[in-house]
């Protein structure tokens, strides 16, 4: 045990990790306040509204990832769900988080505008995160579990309204030809990753060491800070993100939209308790959506446009495989780290920060790598990158299995292999996530952009739900510690080899898929139908910029 100034830590490494996270978060908070309160209209060459959005998003991601780092442990250790059931609940929750932005983005586009949507989402999120701190006595017979279901539903819908729209406002602060747009999104996404990395460390430590209410409560405080920044800083947005047609929400109609949002909360409250409903929705609506897209492509599109839709659907199917494995991080891999890894005295939930830290370090390198290869005419095609991504996510599991079995099944797995699996998963993510949204938009005709994006969202949600089912297969309760570890490793080995095999197949057929994309005949006006916020996509698995609307051609 190591005594700190205010807290007690299990190791010096845990203490210094916690301190660095606190200092980093405080530094960005103070720096953001200084920047947005300066008298100049712009600071370091950007409008102050950018830094307001940076602060709001940093605290929103702090609250989301702080809660996410603890959720699977909360389900198993406090509410006493069987392990396989907890994993399915977690998968259903993350799937719903991916579906909700489709509705949040649509309502913002058609009615209330992005700013009001973000504000409404932030209010729902604040209540949701604070309700998470009402833990009761635990166990599924505790009436407080209904507050827990409500908290999850509020967070799902709040994320749908906020995440679908906040990065769009970033894009609206700049003209389409403004050279500052990409640097602006780089600054904005630093906020995402600062919030994500520090939350897993700070909230994870407090929740697992001192009590769930402290971890979840701090996440709620973070969301409240973000909400306050967004409300007070409204003038800095320069009127951006307002309704396109105010007449549509006149005479109380705006409140009807908020009522629809609350109805979504009620629907999610039910769905998260009956996870089979989520699977049914994904299967029925997702399958119907795919069938409709293919029917439209075959019957209504010219041959080259039809081929591009076929290529897009292939990439969408590959993405489901990737997310189903990548999203083990918050569920089965989190529990494996807690039970079977020599964490050197660090709480397992704190390791959820590794992915965000890797992204901050590696994203610029990948951007330079792709640009350098492009100048030489050697940049891999989009389907080739997708194949590489799936191979890497599979290799991550295989490396972990090899490391655990080499050390001995009855010996804690060295923590280096947790860092390695996250490294391979992050490099895989950087091969798939940044190019996926761009590929969907480039391959779809302008009049089908929303339809294809809806399909992409359902694919991401399906991947997350499948991740819960895969995680459930690792549940080895009642079979002993060593046998339970072997069950997890067997599942990881199986999915790892399948992923490598699928990735190899994708790479082999990538030349065919590339030909279906007909990139040489893409017209500028098709490429110009950019998704709002597209420049910011790719630095997070559920990044901003994933928005169903397109901007008018310049």
């Amino acid at each position: 045990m190591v005594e700190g100034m205010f807290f007690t830590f299990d190791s010096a490494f845990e203490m210094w990790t916690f301190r660095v996270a606190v200092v980093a978060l405080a530094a960005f908070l103070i720096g953001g306040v200084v920047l947005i309160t300066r008298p100049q209209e712009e600071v370091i060459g950007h409008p102050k509204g950018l830094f307001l959005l940076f602060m709001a998003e940093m605290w929103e991601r702090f609250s989301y990832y702080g809660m996410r780092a603890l959720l699977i442990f909360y389900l198993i250790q406090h509410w006493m769900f069987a392990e396989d059931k907890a994993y399915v609940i977690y998968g259903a929750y993350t799937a719903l988080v991916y579906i909700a932005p489709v509705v949040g983005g649509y309502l913002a586009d058609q009615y209330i505008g992005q700013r009001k949507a973000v504000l409404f989402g932030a209010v729902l999120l604040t209540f949701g995160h604070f309700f998470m701190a009402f833990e009761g006595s635990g166990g599924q017979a505790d009436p407080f579990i209904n507050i827990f279901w409500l908290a999850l539903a509020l967070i799902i819908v709040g994320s749908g309204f906020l995440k679908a729209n906040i990065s769009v406002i970033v894009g609206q602060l700049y003209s389409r030809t403004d050279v500052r747009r990409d640097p602006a999104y780089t600054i904005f996404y630093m906020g995402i990753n600062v919030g994500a990395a520090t939350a897993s460390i700070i909230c994870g430590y407090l929740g697992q060491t001192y009590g769930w209410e402290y971890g979840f409560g701090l996440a709620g405080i973070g969301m409240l800070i973000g909400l306050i920044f967004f409300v007070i800083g409204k003038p800095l947005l320069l009127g951006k993100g307002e309704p396109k047609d105010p007449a549509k929400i006149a005479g109380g109609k705006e409140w009807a939209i908020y009522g629809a949002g609350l109805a979504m909360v009620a629907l999610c409250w039910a769905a998260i308790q009956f996870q089979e409903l989520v699977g049914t929705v994904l299967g029925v609506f997702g399958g119907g959506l795919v069938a409709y897209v293919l029917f439209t492509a075959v019957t209504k599109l010219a041959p080259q446009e039809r081929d591009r839709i076929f290529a897009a659907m292939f990439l969408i199917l590959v993405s489901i495989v990737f997310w189903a494995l990548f999203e083990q991080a918050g569920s089965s891999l989190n529990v494996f780290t807690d039970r079977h890894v020599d964490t050197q005295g660090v709480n397992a939930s704190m390791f959820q920060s590794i992915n965000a830290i890797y992204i901050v370090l590696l994203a610029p390198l990948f951007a330079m790598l792709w640009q350098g290869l492009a100048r030489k005419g050697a940049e891999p095609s989009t389907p080739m990158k997708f194949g590489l991504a799936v191979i890497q996510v599979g290799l991550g599991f295989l490396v972990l299995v090899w490391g655990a079995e080499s050390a001995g099944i009855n010996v804690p797995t060295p923590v280096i292999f947790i860092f390695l699996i996250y490294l391979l998963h992050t490099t895989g993510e950087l091969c798939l996530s940044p190019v996926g949204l761009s590929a969907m938009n480039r391959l779809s005709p302008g009049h089908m952009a929303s339809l294809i994006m809806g399909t992409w969202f359902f694919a991401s949600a399906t991947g997350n739900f499948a991740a819960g089912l895969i995680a459930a297969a690792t549940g080895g309760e009642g079979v002993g510690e060593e046998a339970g570890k072997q069950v997890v490793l067997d599942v990881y080995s199986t999915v790892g080899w399948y992923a490598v095999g699928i990735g190899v197949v994708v790479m082999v057929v990538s030349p065919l898929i590339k030909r279906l994309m007909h990139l040489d005949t893409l017209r500028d006006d098709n490429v110009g139908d950019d998704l709002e916020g597209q420049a910011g996509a790719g630095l997070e698995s559920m990044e901003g910029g994933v928005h169903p609307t397109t901007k008018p051609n310049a």
Side-chain angles (χ1 to χ4, degrees), residues 76-152:
I76 295 171
Q77 298 171 12
H78 181 72
W79 295 118
M80 309 301 292
F81 282 102
E83 207 172 302
D84 56 347
K85 180 69 170 178
Y87 289 140
V88 174
I89 294 171
Y90 182 92
Y93 163 73
T94 54
L96 289 169
V97 167
Y98 269 83
I99 296 174
V102 177
V103 181
Y106 175 80
L107 293 177
D109 291 333
Q110 299 298 319
Y111 299 101
I112 58 177
Q114 284 75 34
R115 184 189 63 80
K116 290 182 177 180
V118 169
L119 181 60
F120 180 59
V123 171
L124 295 181
L125 283 164
T126 301
F127 278 106
H129 284 293
F130 275 124
F131 283 162
M132 287 291 293
F134 288 84
E135 60 180 79
S137 58
Q140 296 165 50
D142 186 348
F144 272 81
I145 197 171
N146 291 297
I147 299 179
F148 168 68
W149 298 128
L150 176 60
L152 289 184

Side-chain angles (χ1 to χ4, degrees), residues 233-510:
K234 176 186 174 182
L236 300 181
L237 299 180
L238 307 175
K240 305 299 183 182
E242 297 302 326
K244 296 176 182 177
D245 184 2
K248 285 187 174 182
I249 57 172
K253 295 177 182 177
E254 180 178 344
W255 291 101
I257 300 299
Y258 301 141
L262 295 178
M264 287 176 59
V265 172
L267 182 62
C268 291
W269 180 83
I272 198 67
Q273 296 180 64
F274 302 97
Q275 301 81 36
E276 63 272 11
L277 289 178
V278 179
T280 301
V281 168
L282 289 171
V284 173
F285 285 90
L289 195 58
V290 170
Y292 179 72
V293 169
L294 293 177
F295 174 80
T296 302
V298 171
T299 61
K300 297 183 179 180
L301 297 183
Q304 288 194 353
E305 289 184 331
R306 179 196 61 210
D307 289 348
R308 292 188 187 114
I309 294 299
F310 290 161
M313 299 308 293
F314 176 83
L315 296 176
I316 284 172
L317 291 175
V318 174
S319 75
I320 293 176
V321 176
F322 179 84
W323 295 122
L325 301 185
F326 180 88
E327 290 296 338
Q328 296 302 307
S331 55
S332 68
L333 185 57
N334 209 3
V335 173
F336 181 87
T337 304
D338 183 57
R339 293 179 178 172
H340 305 300
V341 174
D342 179 11
T343 60
Q344 305 291 316
V346 178
N347 280 302
S349 57
M350 297 171 73
F351 286 86
Q352 294 292 293
S353 65
I354 298 175
N355 174 247
I357 294 171
Y358 277 152
I359 284 179
V360 172
L361 297 175
L362 297 177
L365 298 179
F366 268 72
M368 290 188 291
L369 172 65
W370 300 140
Q371 289 177 5
L373 291 174
R375 283 194 294 268
K376 299 177 180 178
E379 183 182 8
S381 65
T382 295
M384 182 67 74
K385 290 178 181 176
F386 271 53
L388 289 170
V390 176
I391 288 176
Q392 287 172 91
V393 79
L395 286 176
F397 287 112
L398 296 179
V399 166
L400 177 61
V401 171
W402 174 78
E405 293 181 344
S406 296
I409 197 66
N410 58 345
V411 175
T413 301
V415 72
I416 183 62
F417 293 102
I418 296 299
F419 283 93
L420 287 175
I421 186 174
Y422 278 116
L423 176 62
L424 285 163
H425 284 194
T426 303
T427 55
E429 180 187 3
L430 289 169
C431 287
L432 182 141
S433 188
V435 299
L437 181 68
S438 175
M440 293 306 104
N441 191 52
R442 296 186 72 196
L443 295 174
S444 60
H447 61 87
M448 291 184 67
S450 296
L451 190 62
I452 297 302
M453 277 312 303
T455 310
W456 175 262
F457 265 114
F458 267 94
S460 300
T462 302
N464 277 263
F465 189 77
L469 300 180
I470 292 173
T474 69
E477 290 183 307
V479 296
E481 188 76 9
E482 293 179 15
K485 182 178 182 180
Q486 188 62 60
V487 168
V488 179
L489 294 178
D490 288 344
V491 172
Y492 281 178
S493 178
T494 299
V495 298
W497 283 114
Y498 268 107
V500 171
I502 292 170
V504 170
V505 171
V506 172
M507 291 178 68
V508 170
V509 302
S510 63

Side-chain angles (χ1 to χ4, degrees), residues 34 163 285 517 546:
V34 170
K163 284 300 293 178
F285 285 90
M517 296 167 73
V546 280

